[in-house]
């Protein structure tokens, strides 16, 4: 088994050399951190859509809609793209339609793979445990920023590489090794490390710095959001080896 | 002025946001290291071509032809893709047609920019001095491996970031910062650092490990290979601020 990291949705086709692959899509600031929060708080499904127009059409049909473009919340939306907005009061038992600058783009790119899961620091160990239970090759797909490399998603890739390499996965690939080095440099203080990133400036300019600590907090939930290519929905998959009680304990 | 690093030719369009940009194309193992060696030894021009078929057509018309596909030398070629093959005896006063797996692909991708130069560890300081003399934004375009991220080209990017940031360039971009961290980790012993890379295994499998030290040696030449989009040739540009005697001293 191997694990590698793909730094941009535009590069996905060059990394997905195996159809029987687990693809872990990550967009730390903020889409996948927010999706994990929505499931932690009881959402029944997240419906990722590519365009703001699609999101608006869902809103007009009565759906809850969240997301952003260029860090700014849709004017028609119920939520933006911060984990703390998706409270149990608002999302428990509900489906949420969701569209973001990079996260839903990355999900769309990898939608054809055999297993697409949503990863964030919040469910890092749940993701690692799931991968180990499946014993398949793993590719972390970083959403990046408008197809560019970004620091925070690669850092998550490094954190997952560390866990799977420790369990015997082959991570002897250039991107995986560099992501691992980043994580090893950052892990004693990820909040400090990430101050150098471009996204911090975007969040700051939009008054959103309070989300940073939420998005970097590790293992705050055991949700395992899985994309179903038939229904085009993401649901929390309580896979067989996952303790059935863990979600309620963590909530 | 700013400097950033683009990790793959497939991402170039997302980084080249400025037409008046210096693009430094790098393919450390081995195309750009080899191009620098050819000029150091007196080649008058390198003609990069995309396909082996084009290279073969040039050979049939009597040109000197070098290059490789998937690390292996063309069976019809005069040279492979190792710096040591391009001796003064063979290339002095001659044009060389050149096609490689990644390097000529990257040159082709950036061919439309206002200034495309060829960078390698061998001409690192010459490249840095040229950029500083021009006072323009700089983008390092890593050739990578078949569109994927690679370690050695990113490492060169970090080395150039270090030099230009020290001279006041803005390098506060995620890819530039990560490349710089890689270089800071590697620079006391680049040969050791690069042992982790995928390309080392490819070179080893093809009996080419002897090129690694050549390709990582810093400032062995002051050549400044520049691509001319009109003639589609690369020539060594003795730009005005470059000491005219430096090339002969370094040879």
């Amino acid at each position: 088994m191997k694990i590698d990291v793909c730094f941009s949705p535009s590069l996905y086709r060059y990394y997905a050399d195996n159809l029987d692959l687990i693809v872990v899509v990550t967009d730390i600031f903020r889409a996948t951190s927010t999706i994990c929060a929505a499931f932690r708080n009881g959402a029944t499904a997240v419906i990722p859509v590519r365009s703001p127009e699609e999101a608006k059409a869902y809103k007009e049909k009565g759906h809850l809609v969240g997301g952003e473009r260029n860090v700014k919340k849709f004017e028609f939306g119920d939520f933006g793209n911060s984990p703390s907005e998706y409270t149990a009061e608002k999302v428990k038992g509900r489906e949420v339609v969701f569209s973001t600058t990079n996260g839903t783009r990355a999900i769309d790119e990898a939608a054809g793979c055999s297993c697409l899961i949503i990863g964030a620091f919040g469910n890092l160990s749940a993701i690692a445990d799931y991968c180990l239970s499946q014993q398949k090759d793993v590719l972390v797909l970083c959403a990046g920023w408008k197809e560019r490399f970004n620091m925070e998603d690669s850092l998550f890739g490094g954190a997952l590489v560390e866990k799977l390499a420790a369990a015997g996965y082959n991570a002897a690939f250039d991107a995986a090794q560099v992501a691992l080095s980043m994580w090893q440099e950052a892990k004693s203080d990820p909040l400090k490390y990430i101050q150098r990133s471009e996204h911090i400036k975007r969040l700051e300019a939009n008054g959103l710095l309070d989300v940073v600590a939420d998005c970097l907090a590790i293992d705050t939930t055991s949700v395992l959001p899985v994309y179903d290519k038939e229904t085009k929905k993401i649901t929390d998959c309580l896979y067989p080896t996952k303790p059935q009680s863990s979600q309620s304990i963590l909530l």
Side-chain angles (χ1 to χ4, degrees), chain A residues 17-84:
Chain A
D17 55 1
N18 177 349
L19 287 175
D20 195 24
L21 192 70
I22 298 173
V23 177
V24 181
V25 171
T26 192
D27 183 5
I28 295 302
F29 297 143
R30 298 165 282 158
T32 62
S33 301
T34 297
I35 292 171
C36 287
F39 285 113
R40 190 182 61 199
N41 289 327
T44 55
V46 169
I47 304 173
V49 299
R50 273 298 291 279
S51 71
E53 293 71 28
E54 284 172 274
K56 195 172 183 186
Y58 271 102
K59 178 67 193 164
E60 286 163 1
K61 288 188 278 183
H63 285 72
L64 279 180
V65 173
E68 52 75 34
R69 274 303 172 285
N70 298 318
V71 192
K72 294 184 196 306
K73 179 181 169 178
F74 298 131
E75 86 287 354
F76 59 81
D78 299 289
F79 315 91
N81 187 20
S82 293
S84 61

Side-chain angles (χ1 to χ4, degrees), chain A residues 228-240:
Chain A
D228 181 324
K229 59 186 163 189
E230 303 303 325
T231 62
K232 298 185 177 172
K233 291 182 181 182
I234 299 165
T235 53
D236 182 19
C237 167
L238 292 170
Y239 64 92

Side-chain angles (χ1 to χ4, degrees), chain A residues 166-242:
Chain A
Y169 273 58
N170 176 15
F173 308 105
D174 287 15
Q177 286 298 305
V178 168
L180 178 59
S181 288
M182 290 170 64
W183 174 241
Q184 287 169 336
E185 184 184 344
K187 68 180 178 180
S188 65
D189 191 349
L191 202 57
K192 183 178 172 199
Y193 182 93
I194 219 67
Q195 296 307 315
R196 292 190 293 170
S197 74
E198 292 173 65
H199 213 119
I200 287 288
K201 293 169 206 140
R202 284 182 213 113
L203 292 170
E204 190 171 21
N206 287 278
L208 290 165
L209 276 184
D210 60 323
V211 307
V212 175
D214 280 353
C215 293
L216 295 179
I218 293 172
D219 290 344
T220 54
T221 177
S222 62
V223 299
L224 189 82
V226 176
Y227 178 79
D228 181 324
K229 59 186 163 189
E230 303 303 325
T231 62
K232 298 185 177 172
K233 291 182 181 182
I234 299 165
T235 53
D236 182 19
C237 167
L238 292 170
Y239 64 92
T241 60
K242 181 174 170 182

Side-chain angles (χ1 to χ4, degrees), chain A residues 113-160:
Chain A
C113 75
S114 64
C115 178
L116 189 165
I117 56 180
I118 301 297
F121 285 108
N123 70 342
L124 174 63
S125 291
I127 292 281
D129 290 348
Y130 178 72
C131 292
L132 292 172
S133 77
Q134 301 298 302
Q135 292 287 305
K136 289 183 178 176
D137 291 346
V138 174
L139 178 66
V140 178
L141 175 55
C142 300
W145 178 260
K146 297 185 177 180
E147 311 305 319
R148 295 185 184 204
F149 172 87
N150 82 11
M151 217 177 257
E152 60 275 16
D153 299 344
S154 317
L155 204 59
F156 170 82
L160 191 59

